[in-house]
Amino acid sequence: MALKRMGIVSDYEKIRTFAVAIVGVGGVGSVTAEMLTRCGIGKVKTSLFVYHLRNPITSGVNQLLLFDYDKVELANMNRLFFQPHQAGLSKVQAAEHTLRNINPDVLFEVHNYNITTVENFEHFMNRISNGGLEEGKPVDLVLSCVDNFEARMTINTACNELGQTWMESGVSENAVSGHIQLIIPGESACFACAPPLVVAANIDEKTLKREGVCAASLPTTMGVVAGILVQNVLKFLLNFGTVSFYLGYNAMQDFFPTMSMKPNPQCDDRNCRKQQEEYKKKVAALPTQEVVQEEEEIIHDDNEWGIELVSEVSEEELKNSSGPIPDLPEGITVAYTVPQKQEDSVCEVTVEDSGESLEDLMAKMKNM
């Protein structure tokens, strides 16, 4: 890999030891899965919210877990990844078939069910905590690529309870902006710490969608968001570069805002508050590092060329140019003094008044 050859990543092959779960295999999730597959990720879990569990997967080299419940439609063809002949197939099934042809070394575990239902939520939690490359170990990262707040809050709830690091992503309804966000339970703000208005006001999302009108979608915007999401995943897993806690994208102005948010101590999610307390204890247990103040090195104190700095003002001239030092309390000194004014003797010259007018004087000057 180029990253290894350029010295950016010391051990790129380590990518094969990670398991990543992708929830939502739509415009962003499908492209994200393809990029990770081409990068050689260990295991991909794709959960398309409908129950379709394949044969148990034994531990192997690479692994991706995919979750989604939707089916491929011809209306999806304005996006990347899916093809017309896959219409009618579940998105996870179609994605697994395409991805396996791209990189057969990657292990795929697909789930075709809705994670927001009570019966499926428990199974979703189980696969997150036990679906790692080594069965019984948790996945290394969960990626949210869903298109609704209910699913985002479900993922947030599960990851807060498990202490699972995850990344959230999304594209706006006008299709010209998007974002990614890294959420580490207890360390950074979770999705419930500063919820969107729809979530905070407990509004049913279904009532906001107009019949016959769907959100705009552009493969360009979705490709950009998927790209920065996977880039952040690689930096996080392989420990290189700066991992963004929040990175936005505004296509109208080519603007990429970035920021980080601290967790809300009054978060409505009790598991988030619990994770915050555990993080504080972890930080308090770390050894304190003493700050050693280094003395500034004197440059050119002595030099082999014998160069010296000489003042052009003598000590006597400096003393004479200084004013009296005021009487100040102990410990207070002045940076400089105001020199006393010296009264210079100026000879006064008086001119006798001849009584002549200005016109007379001008006439004399002309005759000279």
Side-chain angles (χ1 to χ4, degrees):
M1 284 296 297
L3 288 176
K4 183 176 180 180
R5 290 198 302 270
M6 297 300 293
I8 297 174
V9 178
S10 59
D11 186 13
Y12 184 84
E13 285 76 11
K14 192 177 179 182
I15 194 70
R16 297 166 64 87
T17 66
F18 296 114
V20 175
I22 302 175
V23 186
V25 192
V28 174
S30 60
V31 180
T32 297
E34 179 179 348
M35 288 181 177
L36 288 174
T37 300
R38 293 182 184 277
C39 287
I41 193 72
K43 178 178 180 179
V44 180
K45 287 198 178 186
T46 321
S47 296
L48 300 175
F49 315 44
V50 180
Y51 196 68
H52 172 73
L53 180 60
R54 297 179 60 84
N55 295 330
I57 295 177
T58 57
S59 59
V61 184
N62 306 353
Q63 194 154 323
L64 268 178
L65 293 79
L66 304 176
F67 295 80
D68 203 307
Y69 69 88
D70 217 349
K71 290 185 178 182
V72 179
E73 300 175 0
L74 290 177
N76 303 141
M77 294 306 114
N78 66 328
R79 303 173 184 179
L80 301 173
F81 190 75
F82 292 115
Q83 301 175 38
H85 71 269
Q86 295 175 320
L89 296 175
S90 70
K91 287 184 176 179
V92 285
Q93 183 182 359
E96 181 190 12
H97 181 267
T98 300
L99 297 174
R100 196 178 294 280
N101 288 333
I102 292 173
N103 189 348
D105 290 335
V106 176
L107 292 177
F108 297 95
E109 180 181 322
V110 298
H111 301 280
N112 188 19
Y113 60 66
N114 189 341
I115 65 170
T116 64
T117 63
V118 176
E119 59 271 19
N120 292 330
F121 179 73
E122 291 299 324
H123 185 269
F124 173 68
M125 289 264 292
N126 177 269
R127 296 318 300 148
I128 295 301
S129 55
N130 296 293
L133 203 58
E134 183 180 343
E135 191 63 32
K137 298 291 182 67
V139 297
D140 297 285
L141 198 60
V142 174
L143 305 182
S144 167
C145 302
V146 297
D147 60 357
N148 63 87
F149 293 121
E150 183 183 12
R152 287 185 176 96
M153 291 301 293
T154 300
I155 299 168
N156 188 74
T157 300
C159 291
N160 275 339
E161 184 172 341
L162 298 172
Q164 173 67 54
T165 299
W166 64 293
M167 290 188 190
E168 191 263 334
S169 65
V171 174
S172 64
E173 288 195 357
N174 64 8
V176 289
S177 64
H179 72 278
I180 65 166
Q181 182 178 355
L182 169 64
I183 300 174
I184 304 176
E187 182 177 344
S188 61
C190 78
F191 201 73
C193 284
L197 178 61
V198 174
V199 177
N202 199 24
I203 299 173
D204 185 0
E205 288 182 80
K206 298 182 180 67
T207 62
L208 302 177
K209 295 185 177 181
R210 291 172 292 173
E211 188 176 353
V213 178
C214 64
S217 61
L218 285 174
T220 49
T221 307
M222 293 180 175
V224 170
V225 173
I228 60 177
L229 174 63
V230 174
Q231 195 80 297
N232 217 41
V233 169
L234 294 177
K235 290 191 290 185
F236 177 80
L237 295 177
L238 298 176
N239 193 26
F240 71 94
T242 300
V243 180
S244 297
F245 275 89
Y246 178 94
L247 180 60
Y249 169 57
N250 184 326
M252 298 295 286
Q253 297 157 340
D254 289 337
F255 180 49
F256 290 84
T258 181
M259 63 178 177
S260 60
M261 292 187 293
K262 296 294 183 182
N264 180 6
Q266 284 82 42
C267 180
D268 291 338
D269 192 317
R270 63 181 182 86
N271 284 311
C272 176
R273 300 194 302 271
K274 179 181 177 182
Q275 294 290 347
Q276 291 180 48
E277 293 302 319
E278 292 182 1
Y279 177 71
K280 289 178 182 177
K281 293 178 182 178
K282 187 188 301 183
V283 172
L286 295 174
T288 55
Q289 296 181 348
E290 295 184 4
V291 179
V292 180
Q293 190 172 2
E294 298 181 358
E295 296 183 1
E296 293 186 4
E297 183 182 355
I298 300 175
I299 302 175
H300 302 316
D301 186 17
D302 294 315
N303 58 80
E304 57 182 305
W305 302 282
I307 299 174
E308 297 180 4
L309 295 177
V310 180
S311 174
E312 296 181 356
V313 182
S314 65
E315 291 289 337
E316 188 67 24
E317 290 175 323
L318 187 62
K319 185 176 180 181
N320 293 336
S321 65
S322 303
I325 300 176
D327 188 15
L328 298 172
E330 185 179 355
I332 300 178
T333 59
V334 293
Y336 61 90
T337 58
V338 180
Q340 292 180 333
K341 293 183 179 179
Q342 296 182 356
E343 297 182 0
D344 298 333
S345 57
V346 179
C347 298
E348 294 185 1
V349 179
T350 58
V351 179
E352 185 179 353
D353 187 5
S354 62
E356 295 178 294
S357 66
L358 180 61
E359 289 78 7
D360 294 337
L361 293 173
M362 293 293 289
K364 283 184 178 182
M365 289 180 65
K366 290 180 179 180
N367 295 329
M368 291 177 64

